[in-house]
Amino acid sequence: MDRWIAAHPALRRTTDPLVVDLGFGASAWTTIELFSRLREVRPDARVTGLEIDPVRVRLAAPHVREGLDFAVGGFDVPLDGGRRPAVIRAANVLRQYDEHEGEGAWRLMRERLQPDGLLLEGTSNEVGRVASWVGLDPEGPRTFTISLHLPSLERPSIVAQRLPKALIHRNVPGESVHALLRDLDAHWAHHAALGAFSARQRWVATVRGLRAAGWPVRDTEVRWRLGELTVDWAAVAPLS
């Protein structure tokens, strides 16, 4: 997720590279890692970690430095001076809410973005090797991304366990995200022989096959080789 944000125009082109890590959790390390990675591409980037638990904010305080701070806050993203972030990352936050609450949380966070801002909301496993997220702008969801650690990958549909809240209950026959994961597994199996060369080559062939089959795959091989797949949100959005 950090890598995807670092490459996104919302960060690259803004004149105010303020990023919020919403719900950083019991440890501040994911926020610190995000800060370090974004500073490599935007040395002027500023990152604020937000948590609704004041104790977690106090525990993070020793890590404050120039460009990195922590504060109490939730989906309303309260920032000093009413500043608007270029990017909000909400990782593993909505998974604890009911599905019907997700749209309201999206709306609150989207309203806080800069005009060309990005909200990244999704879920990952504990070590970040299986992840997926929705990319939203101030108007609504635009993309859905899967990111997998290719050397350890058995089958792409393992991401079903880590779908965003908006999709995790939709992985059933008749829903679009179910069809995507089904086709993804089928193409992965079809290109199994390429695994003898590398999992990366197998994955790139898999993504090419999906695109040839009509899925609205975004980006180029540069991103695919990282274990990513991004499609238009409309292709996987819940049907009802």
Side-chain angles (χ1 to χ4, degrees), residues 29-97:
W29 288 112
T30 56
T31 307
I32 296 168
E33 289 172 349
L34 176 64
F35 172 72
S36 298
R37 290 163 181 160
L38 298 189
R39 278 276 170 128
E40 292 178 4
V41 298
R42 284 294 303 253
D44 56 343
R46 298 186 61 85
V47 175
T48 295
L50 291 182
E51 254 294 342
I52 60 173
D53 184 351
V55 173
R56 291 179 172 181
V57 175
R58 286 199 297 271
L59 290 173
H63 301 289
V64 170
R65 66 193 73 166
E66 174 59 33
L68 174 66
D69 61 3
F70 301 89
V72 176
F75 295 130
D76 55 332
V77 192
L79 296 174
D80 290 343
R83 292 182 67 190
R84 293 182 177 271
V87 179
I88 299 172
R89 181 183 72 174
N92 299 310
V93 176
L94 284 180
R95 61 187 303 177
Q96 59 190 310
Y97 290 80

Side-chain angles (χ1 to χ4, degrees), residues 34-194:
L34 176 64
F35 172 72
S36 298
R37 290 163 181 160
L38 298 189
R39 278 276 170 128
E40 292 178 4
V41 298
R42 284 294 303 253
D44 56 343
R46 298 186 61 85
V47 175
T48 295
L50 291 182
E51 254 294 342
I52 60 173
D53 184 351
V55 173
R56 291 179 172 181
V57 175
R58 286 199 297 271
L59 290 173
H63 301 289
V64 170
R65 66 193 73 166
E66 174 59 33
L68 174 66
D69 61 3
F70 301 89
V72 176
F75 295 130
D76 55 332
V77 192
L79 296 174
D80 290 343
R83 292 182 67 190
R84 293 182 177 271
V87 179
I88 299 172
R89 181 183 72 174
N92 299 310
V93 176
L94 284 180
R95 61 187 303 177
Q96 59 190 310
Y97 290 80
D98 292 334
E99 183 179 355
H100 72 274
E101 297 177 286
E103 182 62 34
W106 276 4
R107 184 179 64 255
L108 282 173
M109 291 185 283
R110 287 191 290 107
E111 289 173 349
R112 299 295 296 129
L113 290 171
Q114 295 175 17
D116 295 318
L118 167 71
L119 165 61
L120 211 64
E121 188 275 307
T123 306
S124 72
N125 69 352
E126 290 74 11
V127 293
R129 291 186 169 189
V130 178
S132 68
W133 57 82
V134 182
L136 305 95
D137 64 20
E139 301 303 317
R142 294 289 177 256
T143 59
F144 171 64
T145 299
I146 291 169
S147 182
L148 302 165
H149 180 253
L150 298 179
S152 61
L153 182 62
E154 294 184 8
R155 66 185 188 283
S157 63
I158 189 68
V159 77
Q161 303 171 9
R162 304 292 175 173
L163 290 173
K165 176 59 71 173
L167 295 176
I168 195 165
H169 301 300
R170 304 300 181 132
N171 184 29
V172 294
E175 289 281 354
S176 299
V177 71
H178 182 271
L180 175 65
L181 298 188
R182 178 200 63 207
D183 290 0
L184 194 53
D185 273 357
H187 284 280
W188 179 253
H190 179 74
H191 293 290
L194 290 175

